[in-house]
Structures are given as structure tokens and as C-alpha cells.
Amino acid sequence: MHRRYLNFEAEAVALGLRAGILSTVFSIIFAIYAHNNLNFILAILGVFIGTLVQIEGLKLSTLVQVKHGLAISIGAGITVALGSATAHHPLLLSLGLLIFMLPVGLATGSKAITSATVLFTSNMFIVGSGLPAAIPHAIMYGVYFCIGGLILVLSGYLQNLVFGNRYNIEPYTSPGTNQIFTINTKNLKFALKLAIAVCSANAIAGYLKLPQQYCAPMTALLVLRADHHVAVKRLHHRFFGTLIGSILAIGLILLIQDKLILAVLMLPIMFLIVVSMAKHYGAYVFFLTIMVTILFNLIEFNGVMVVVERILFTLLGISLVVAVIYLPKLMSGIMNKF
């Protein structure tokens, strides 16, 4: 049964181990030496987001992996800093959300690793808005994020240099076009759907003054994401993955109060995230929920509330995605009757 949910191919295992080790090192440093320094949490996020992009390039050449690794590390480092700096300014934040949804929509149809790079670069603007800070601190968040991503890229390059990369010999041609952005009616409509769902989620969460406001628009974006054909299936996976993962996460944080142990747990959790995302989105969300809970408890012990808030924001994001998907169809059907 594990083959349905986990991918144990050599490339996925190697990436999972590298990401797990790097995340654990940064987590241990944070737990022991830097309790109030969120920069190391951003470095962990840099490793994590870089890993999500690299998953799409498991069967690509070293050059392609390095190029996209550099792009996501630097690009998302910039966007996380912008999100953090504009978090206190609702109008600027809303404008930023509108702007960053356009490239995500227009990247639909490009190669998987390209669309993932664009998606997560835009997504980190949303994540950065959850870490409001003055400009100097926001810049440092971006720098540490970039450092985490670049170290992951370097580790991958060294791995391929020492052990080789079989896809350097026989290049793998992934589905999709070499073009990054495609401007057509379909993609523009999808970009509009993304903008409506993400901005509505952000506005509702802001109006209700909910904590961790960024989770709602982030959920809306990642459920719809670049492949709108499978959005409905992802709704089920996102909801049940979050719900089941939350149950286990609550038990985990009630049982384990030692931050050093939580930091060490990042190794197996990050590994499982990698080998599951390459195979099954629901399993990936399950392990992701546990990782997010661990990260928040490394910062501050408030695990049960983190889990509850994550479930609520997931429901809010999913509800808005459902509205964006089905409301136009419903309105079209009503208009056709007249």
C-alpha cells in the first residue's frame, strides 16, 4: 500500500534525506541557540520550498535543477521580504496579492518545474505577510530564506558531482512547453479566479481579525494552484490530509514538550513530506500539517491552537475555492435559462 502514497525511488530518497538533514540542523540551532531569532525558521522554509521545486526536477539534468533552485531561492527570498514589509499595509498587501496571482495563472501549461517555481515564488509573498516586520528585519527574513534554499541547491550539486546524475546522459523531456508564460483567454481567466479566491480569503480573515491570517489565502492558492483541472480532487486531499494530520499532530505535541526532540523530528517528517509529495497530495498534506505544528511549537508552545486555526483556515480557503469553481457555472446556468 505504501507505493500508493510514498515514492522510494533513489532520487526522491536522496532529496528527502538532504532536505531532512538541513532542516534538522537549522531546527537544532534555533532550539538551542536562537529561541527568538525567526531568521533560522526562514532558513528552514527556504530548504522546504526549494525542496518542493526540486521534487518536480527529480528526473531532470543537474543544470536544470541548479537553475530552478537558484531561481526559487533568490526569487522567493525577495517575495517573502516584500510580503513581510507590506503586511502592515492592507492596500499594499492586497495589491501585491493581485500582482502575484497573474504570473501563477499565466504559467499554467509550462513545464512542471517551471510552474512550481512561479507558484512558490508567489506563494512566499503570502507566507511573508504572516511575518510582519520593519523593512530591515523583512530583508533579513528574505536573506535567510535565500541562504536555506542555496544550501539545498549546493548539496544537490555536490551529490550529483560525486554520485552522478543519470539524467545528464539521457535528458528527460517533461510535459509542457519551454515557454514560461502563456497569455491566452484560458490562463487569464484562471489568473482572475486565483486573484478572487486569494484576495477574498485574505479580506475575510483580516476582517474577522483571525490569527495566522495568511493561512487562508495560502490554502486557496495551493488548492487551485497551477493545475486547475485537478482542483476538485485536491480539495478532498487538502481537507482530509489536514484533518487526519491534525489529529496526529495534537497527540505529538501533547506528548513531546522538549524543543530539541521536536527539532530532531524534522528529519523524518521532512523526508516523508518529500517522498509523499512525489506520489500523493493527500499524504503530503498529512505530513505537512505535522511539520507546520512542529515549527510553531519550536517558536512557542501553542500547538493545539495552531492545529485548530489551521483546520479553520483550510475550511475557509476550500470554501472560497469551491465558490470560485462552481459559482460561475451556476450563474451561467441561470443566465442560460433566461
Side-chain angles (χ1 to χ4, degrees), residues 164-334:
N165 180 355
R166 55 179 169 164
Y167 297 103
N168 287 337
I169 301 173
E170 299 179 4
Y172 171 78
T173 304
S174 63
T177 174
N178 289 322
Q179 191 173 344
I180 299 177
F181 301 117
T182 303
I183 301 176
N184 55 37
T185 303
K186 184 179 180 180
N187 284 358
L188 287 172
K189 284 182 178 179
F190 180 54
L192 180 60
K193 285 183 179 180
L194 281 173
I196 292 172
V198 170
C199 291
S200 297
N202 182 69
I204 293 172
Y207 177 77
L208 296 176
K209 300 187 183 303
L210 298 174
Q212 306 305 325
Q213 175 182 335
Y214 74 96
C215 290
M218 181 181 69
T219 297
L221 171 61
L222 295 181
V223 171
L224 276 174
R225 62 170 301 178
D227 188 358
H228 40 277
H229 300 294
V230 296
V232 175
K233 186 177 181 180
R234 294 173 72 86
L235 289 174
H236 294 89
H237 286 172
R238 189 81 188 186
F239 175 73
F240 287 108
T242 300
L243 185 62
I244 299 172
S246 297
I247 294 171
L248 182 59
I250 289 175
L252 189 67
I253 56 155
L254 291 177
L255 183 65
I256 301 174
Q257 300 291 316
D258 190 305
K259 289 191 175 183
L260 186 57
I261 296 177
L262 290 175
V264 173
L265 284 176
M266 286 295 293
L267 175 54
I269 294 300
M270 184 66 77
F271 174 79
L272 289 169
I273 284 176
V274 174
V275 298
S276 61
M277 186 177 180
K279 197 75 173 180
H280 192 278
Y281 184 70
Y284 154 73
V285 174
F286 169 80
F287 293 117
L288 174 64
T289 300
I290 298 173
M291 188 197 80
V292 170
T293 305
I294 289 176
L295 280 179
F296 274 101
N297 278 270
L298 281 174
I299 300 171
E300 182 180 0
F301 283 116
N302 193 22
V304 175
M305 285 305 301
V306 169
V307 172
V308 172
E309 289 165 8
R310 182 171 174 79
I311 293 174
L312 292 175
F313 281 122
T314 297
L315 289 172
L316 174 58
I318 287 175
S319 299
L320 290 167
V321 170
V322 170
V324 167
I325 292 174
Y326 289 109
L327 190 57
K329 295 180 180 179
L330 180 62
M331 294 300 294
S332 178
I334 294 173

Side-chain angles (χ1 to χ4, degrees), residues 43-172:
I44 297 170
L45 289 178
V47 173
F48 173 60
I49 297 298
T51 300
L52 296 184
V53 171
Q54 292 297 312
I55 287 172
E56 302 293 349
L58 290 176
K59 296 182 179 180
L60 298 176
S61 68
T62 301
L63 177 60
V64 173
Q65 292 176 4
V66 170
K67 283 170 57 178
H68 285 84
L70 292 175
I72 189 64
S73 299
I74 297 171
I78 293 172
T79 56
V80 75
L82 288 173
S84 177
T86 59
H88 290 301
H89 307 281
L91 290 179
L92 287 177
L93 178 59
S94 298
L95 180 61
L97 291 174
L98 285 172
I99 291 172
F100 283 114
M101 291 310 102
L102 181 60
V104 176
L106 297 182
T108 303
S110 62
K111 290 187 175 181
I113 191 170
T114 302
S115 61
T117 301
V118 174
L119 169 70
F120 290 115
T121 298
S122 298
N123 180 55
M124 285 312 298
F125 177 82
I126 300 175
V127 175
S129 70
L131 298 164
I135 292 178
H137 289 97
I139 292 174
M140 289 307 298
Y141 287 161
V143 169
Y144 271 80
F145 179 96
C146 185
I147 289 172
L150 291 177
I151 292 176
L152 179 73
V153 174
L154 178 61
S155 68
Y157 176 77
L158 293 176
Q159 173 195 309
N160 291 337
L161 191 65
V162 174
F163 298 103
N165 180 355
R166 55 179 169 164
Y167 297 103
N168 287 337
I169 301 173
E170 299 179 4
Y172 171 78

